[in-house]
């Protein structure tokens, strides 16, 4: 008995050390989440703003609240916002709180951005086995919040915060599903429903959601009384009920199978060279490849260092042997689909494919914005890294040299990542400020800060200090009869094309033709029609062909001659602005009479009867592909019409 006393004391000391380490690991993890979330919240708040494109969303929300429907201009059914879920989320909280729209969207965006980091870190912690016998240190999370565009678009009024929040929740839910011994049906169908929302979060997120649903569909099913084929049918129904119903409604209401923004920017086009430029514009200045490489190596090293029997049982990866039958191989693969390693492969593969897609379409004009979801996906498996301390530090048994080696590598990776984060967070990638470089890419927040003179341009009236905005508001007020406001070729003055007489009581209404839709539309009443030459809110411009060498994101430019005719303004000099050509206007009038073009315009402007709804559904794919030539003369030729200005044309 006397010999056993030292052994008993040693065991008690070991148990006490283990309990202390367990408390330390939990405290470290919770503190790491709190610190990272706080840093992101402070960083996002310090760079708070709402972009011009963010104000575009609010114009649609204003129309919803006013009872005009989900449109940008009353009487013209155009889906000017890419994220359907973001539009209705902002609308709901605006209706609920009755607060100013800019402050509502600012609060929602920052909250979702911070919550995304929290869910991402929680999901990764589950991937690495929690806080048992290891410390979980922030790693990939620091990389994401350190990149300046991530903090810029933590607010901005755009759907970026919603996208990363959805990715984080999907990641967390998929990891829980892959590790659960017994899957609860409520959480299972909540995960399925979440994955199914992908196309409403943002169209390209359909790739991530579809792959996640395919994994869930093909993996072993939870235990139920339903037959497998019936249960899988329920999965399809739960995942598809909202997006499918909305898709039917979208095609009937808007006459398109996807948002009008995808038509305006030709989301199916290819500009590989510009896409590479856009990728390097984010990766190069911050040396972003360095932490990605370091964390990838550290993550792989931790995985390889795990004991062979650590993930035995149902979660072990089944490798098909040569003796297995095809049915057994399929079963083995199906079993693997419900493992954490499969979920990691899902997110890494999605991040890679989305990056390739973004490069293909040429990226964007906003620095870093369209690559943030891809970066988030690639960082999810290493949002935190597990640091398993050597036994000498925890009071446990001495580990092997390999364990000590892994400890040192992971510790160095975490410290190196933190050091890099300090460098990246204080790096300015684009130094041109108010000027747009030859690449067409701009630091959007800095650009508007400098051009408005406001450190935090948030409210619509903050943008009145942007060049030409106050003059636009003044000219509308000074011309009660209405008319079409067009900016001069020098972008210095507004010119007004008047409506034809007789002028109805109350005026003929105003139309503004200008590129900056957000600041323009949010500083005028809803009865002022606001359209743009690129086509985000103007179907006629959206369906023109893409300019080969145009600035990315702005490579459509409809001539104002078309708008004179379409808006029904006086088309003769001297009433028409001096820089317009009567000949071109006459040709545009004939070109607009093209039957296919008239059918396209009717899909958004005709009263929404049942027959119109049905016709829109039937023709939506054709409308999406339809293009016109921006030069009226060539459009007349394309439609086989008669050019009235051609002296040789048949009478």
């Amino acid at each position: 008995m006397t010999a056993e006393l030292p052994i008993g004391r040693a065991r008690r000391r070991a148990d006490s050390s283990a309990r202390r380490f367990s408390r330390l690991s939990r405290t470290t993890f919770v503190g790491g989440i709190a610190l990272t979330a706080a840093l992101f919240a402070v960083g996002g708040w310090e760079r708070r703003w709402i972009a011009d494109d963010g104000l575009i969303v609010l114009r649609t929300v204003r129309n919803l609240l006013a009872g005009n429907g989900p449109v940008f201009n009353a009487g013209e059914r155009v889906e000017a916002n890419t994220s359907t879920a973001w539009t209705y989320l902002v609308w709901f909280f605006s209706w609920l709180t009755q607060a100013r729209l800019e402050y509502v969207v600012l609060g929602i965006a920052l909250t979702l951005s911070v919550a995304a980091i929290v869910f991402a870190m929680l999901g990764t912690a589950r991937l690495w086995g929690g806080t048992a016998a290891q410390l979980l240190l922030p790693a990939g999370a620091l990389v994401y919040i350190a990149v300046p565009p991530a903090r810029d678009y933590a607010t901005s009024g755009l759907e970026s915060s919603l996208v990363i929040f959805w990715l984080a929740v999907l990641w967390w839910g998929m990891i829980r599903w892959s590790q659960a011994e017994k899957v609860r049906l409520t959480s299972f169908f909540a995960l399925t429903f979440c994955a199914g929302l992908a196309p409403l979060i943002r169209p390209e997120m359909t790739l991530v959601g579809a792959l996640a649903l395919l994994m869930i569909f093909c993996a072993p099913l939870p235990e139920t009384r339903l037959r497998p084929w019936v249960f899988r049918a329920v999965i399809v129904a739960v995942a598809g009920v909202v997006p499918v119903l909305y898709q039917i409604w979208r095609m009937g209401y808007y006459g398109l199978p996807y948002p009008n923004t995808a038509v305006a920017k030709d989301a199916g086009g290819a500009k590989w060279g510009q896409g590479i430029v856009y990728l390097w514009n984010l990766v190069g200045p911050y040396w972003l490849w360095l932490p990605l490489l370091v964390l990838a190596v550290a993550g792989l090293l931790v995985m390889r260092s795990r004991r062979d029997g650590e993930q035995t049982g149902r979660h072990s990866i089944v490798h098909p042997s040569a003796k297995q039958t095809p049915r057994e191989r399929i079963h083995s693969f199906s079993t693997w689909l419900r493992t954490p390693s499969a979920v990691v492969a899902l997110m890494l593969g999605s991040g890679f494919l989305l990056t390739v897609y973004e490069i293909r379409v040429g990226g964007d004009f906003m620095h870093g914005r369209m690559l943030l979801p891809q970066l988030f996906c690639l960082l999810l498996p290493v949002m935190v890294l597990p640091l398993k301390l050597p036994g000498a530090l925890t009071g446990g048994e001495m580990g092997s040299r390999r364990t000590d080696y892994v400890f040192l590598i992971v510790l160095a990776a975490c410290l190196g990542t933190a050091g890099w984060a300090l460098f990246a967070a204080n790096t300015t990638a684009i130094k041109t400020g108010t000027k747009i470089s030859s690449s067409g890419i701009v630091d959007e927040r800095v650009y508007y800060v400098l051009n408005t003179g406001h450190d935090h341009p948030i409210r619509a009236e903050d943008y009145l200090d942007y060049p030409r905005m106050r003059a636009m508001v003044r000219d509308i007020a000074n011309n009660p009869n209405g008319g079409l406001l067009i900016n001069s070729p020098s972008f210095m003055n507004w010119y007004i094309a008047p409506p034809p007489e007789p002028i109805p009581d109350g005026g003929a209404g105003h139309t503004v033709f200008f590129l900056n839709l957000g600041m323009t539309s949010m500083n005028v009443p809803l009865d002022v029609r606001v359209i743009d030459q690129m086509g985000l809110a103007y179907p006629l411009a959206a369906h023109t062909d893409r300019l080969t060498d145009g600035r990315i994101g702005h490579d459509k430019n409809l001539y104002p001659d078309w708008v004179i005719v379409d808006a029904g303004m006086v088309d003769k000099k001297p009433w028409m602005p001096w820089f317009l050509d009567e000949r071109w206007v006459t040709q545009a009038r004939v070109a607009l009479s093209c039957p296919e073009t008239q059918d396209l315009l009717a899909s958004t402007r005709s009263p929404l009867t049942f027959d119109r709804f049905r016709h829109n559904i039937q023709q939506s794919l054709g409308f999406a592909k339809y293009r016109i030539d921006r030069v009226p003369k060539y459009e007349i030729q394309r439609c086989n019409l008669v050019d009235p200005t051609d002296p040789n044309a048949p009478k």
Side-chain angles (χ1 to χ4, degrees):
M1 292 182 62
T2 56
E4 291 177 358
L5 289 177
I7 298 176
R9 284 195 295 269
R11 287 177 177 174
R12 285 194 296 273
R13 284 197 300 269
D15 291 342
S16 177
S17 297
R19 286 193 296 271
R20 286 196 300 270
F21 180 76
S22 179
R23 288 194 296 271
L24 173 64
S25 62
R26 287 195 295 269
T27 303
T28 301
F29 176 56
V30 173
I33 289 181
L35 176 62
T36 307
L39 288 173
F40 196 29
V42 171
W45 181 254
E46 287 181 344
R47 303 169 81 100
R48 64 192 181 277
W49 71 304
I50 294 182
D52 178 66
D53 283 31
L55 294 176
I56 293 176
V57 178
L58 299 187
R59 168 76 170 201
T60 300
V61 173
R62 285 176 65 197
N63 273 301
L64 274 168
L65 294 172
N68 297 327
V71 298
F72 190 82
N73 290 305
E76 191 168 38
R77 297 180 299 275
V78 177
E79 190 175 13
N81 305 332
T82 304
S83 174
T84 302
W86 181 242
T87 300
Y88 286 98
L89 186 68
V90 175
W91 164 79
F92 173 75
F93 281 101
S94 299
W95 169 81
L96 184 67
T97 63
Q98 296 296 303
R100 180 166 179 145
L101 293 181
E102 294 94 325
Y103 297 146
V104 170
V105 76
L106 186 71
I108 296 173
L110 190 57
T111 300
L112 289 180
S113 295
V114 176
I117 290 295
V118 174
F119 273 99
M121 296 177 73
L122 289 173
T124 309
R126 293 185 68 97
L127 169 70
W128 294 118
T131 57
Q134 60 185 359
L135 298 178
L136 293 173
L137 303 180
L142 293 179
V143 174
Y144 185 81
I145 70 171
V147 177
R151 303 197 301 280
D152 287 348
Y153 295 100
T155 54
S156 84
L158 294 165
E159 72 282 351
S160 302
S161 57
L162 177 63
V163 172
I164 64 168
F165 175 76
W166 176 81
L167 286 170
V169 171
L170 182 66
W171 163 252
W172 174 75
M174 292 291 288
I175 290 293
R176 288 188 64 198
W177 165 75
S178 70
Q179 294 178 334
E181 293 293 338
K182 185 177 181 180
V183 179
R184 293 184 178 181
L185 292 182
T186 51
S187 60
F188 177 82
F189 284 117
L191 175 62
T192 303
F193 181 80
C194 175
L197 291 177
L200 303 182
I201 300 297
R202 193 172 166 89
E204 60 264 37
M205 290 300 114
T206 303
L207 170 70
V208 188
L211 290 176
L213 288 172
L214 188 61
M215 285 178 60
I216 295 171
F217 188 86
C218 296
L221 300 176
E223 295 181 3
T224 64
R225 296 180 180 179
L226 297 176
R227 295 182 178 181
W229 70 269
V230 176
F231 193 83
R232 286 190 167 91
V234 175
I235 292 175
V236 173
V238 171
V241 58
V242 173
V244 169
L245 289 178
Y246 183 81
Q247 182 64 18
I248 294 172
W249 182 84
R250 166 189 277 158
M251 293 167 71
Y253 188 81
Y254 296 112
L256 288 173
Y258 35 71
N260 184 68
T261 52
V263 179
K265 297 192 177 185
D266 268 346
K271 284 194 172 183
W272 290 97
Q274 178 64 28
I276 295 296
V277 171
Y278 187 69
L279 176 65
W280 188 248
N281 185 261
L282 175 66
V283 174
Y286 310 110
W287 289 44
L288 188 54
W289 57 270
L290 182 58
L292 292 177
L293 179 61
V294 169
L295 293 181
V297 171
L300 289 172
L301 189 61
V302 171
M303 292 178 61
R304 291 178 63 89
S305 69
R306 301 284 176 129
R307 295 179 181 177
D308 293 339
E310 188 175 353
Q311 295 187 3
T312 58
R314 187 186 61 77
H315 296 301
S316 60
I317 301 176
V318 180
H319 296 281
S321 66
K323 296 181 180 180
Q324 284 185 314
T325 64
R327 182 183 294 272
E328 290 172 335
R329 289 174 179 269
I330 293 174
H331 176 73
S332 297
F333 180 72
S334 174
T335 303
W336 176 78
L337 288 176
R338 204 184 140 203
T339 62
S341 57
V343 180
V344 170
L346 164 70
M347 288 303 175
L348 293 180
S350 297
F352 173 76
L353 292 175
L354 288 173
T355 301
V356 172
Y357 169 75
E358 199 60 42
I359 293 174
R360 182 183 186 275
V361 299
D364 191 50
F365 64 94
M366 299 186 193
H367 168 61
R369 179 204 166 198
M370 295 306 297
L371 289 171
L372 291 177
Q374 291 86 328
L375 177 63
F376 198 78
C377 281
L378 294 175
L379 289 171
L380 280 172
V382 290
M383 282 290 178
V384 295
L385 276 180
L387 186 66
K388 193 166 186 177
L389 301 182
L393 298 178
T394 61
E397 297 180 358
M398 292 295 293
S400 65
R401 289 185 178 180
R402 180 180 179 86
T403 302
D404 295 342
Y405 172 74
V406 172
F407 163 76
L408 293 174
I409 293 296
V410 173
L411 180 60
C414 291
L415 293 176
T417 297
W420 173 90
L422 289 174
F423 153 75
N426 294 283
T427 300
T428 301
I430 298 179
K431 300 179 174 62
T432 52
T434 58
K435 297 181 180 179
I436 300 173
S437 65
S438 58
S439 68
I441 304 169
V442 67
D443 187 327
E444 191 83 345
R445 188 188 69 85
V446 171
Y447 179 84
Y448 282 118
V449 165
L450 294 176
N451 276 290
T452 63
H454 294 271
D455 290 337
H456 305 288
I458 294 172
R459 302 171 303 169
E461 55 262 37
D462 293 338
Y463 280 91
L464 286 175
D465 293 320
Y466 186 81
R468 301 177 294 279
M469 284 297 102
R470 292 192 185 277
M472 176 203 69
V473 174
R474 181 197 62 219
D475 288 350
I476 289 176
N478 291 341
N479 290 273
N481 287 343
L484 171 65
L485 276 75
I486 305 175
N487 214 241
S488 65
S490 62
F491 299 104
M492 296 298 294
N493 301 299
W494 290 100
Y495 288 86
I496 299 180
E501 295 183 349
I503 306 296
D505 294 338
H510 293 90
T511 298
V512 181
F513 184 58
F514 194 56
L515 178 63
N516 297 88
L517 281 176
M519 64 180 74
T520 304
S521 64
M522 285 296 289
N523 280 299
V524 297
L526 290 178
D527 59 359
V528 175
R529 184 177 179 225
V530 181
I531 55 179
D532 63 309
Q533 55 266 49
M534 196 177 77
L536 292 178
Y538 191 25
L540 191 63
H543 288 269
T544 57
D545 286 319
R546 197 176 190 182
L547 299 175
T548 303
D549 299 319
R551 181 191 174 200
I552 188 67
H554 297 76
D555 42 13
K556 291 190 177 181
N557 188 8
L558 184 71
Y559 292 116
D561 310 81
W562 292 85
V563 189
I564 291 287
V565 178
D566 190 41
M569 300 300 156
V570 176
D571 58 357
K572 301 293 183 184
K573 298 290 182 66
W575 299 276
M576 192 170 65
W578 63 268
F579 51 86
L580 298 183
D581 191 308
E582 289 187 13
R583 179 188 179 95
W584 275 53
V585 172
T586 301
Q587 290 173 330
R589 185 178 303 280
V590 175
L592 268 177
S593 68
C594 182
E596 291 84 359
T597 303
Q598 286 297 308
D599 195 21
L600 171 71
L601 296 177
S603 69
T604 63
R605 298 176 181 177
S606 295
L608 191 63
T609 63
F610 177 77
D611 287 339
R612 168 51 57 188
F613 190 89
R614 181 181 60 188
H615 180 75
N616 280 359
I617 292 178
Q618 293 171 344
Q619 300 297 321
S620 59
L621 294 177
F623 288 150
K625 297 177 182 178
Y626 184 70
R627 295 292 182 270
I628 67 175
D629 198 302
R630 60 197 288 266
V631 178
K633 177 181 178 179
Y634 299 149
E635 177 64 8
I636 288 175
Q637 296 173 2
R638 188 189 68 84
C639 289
N640 295 317
L641 300 173
V642 177
D643 186 350
T645 66
D646 185 357
N648 299 321
K651 302 299 183 180

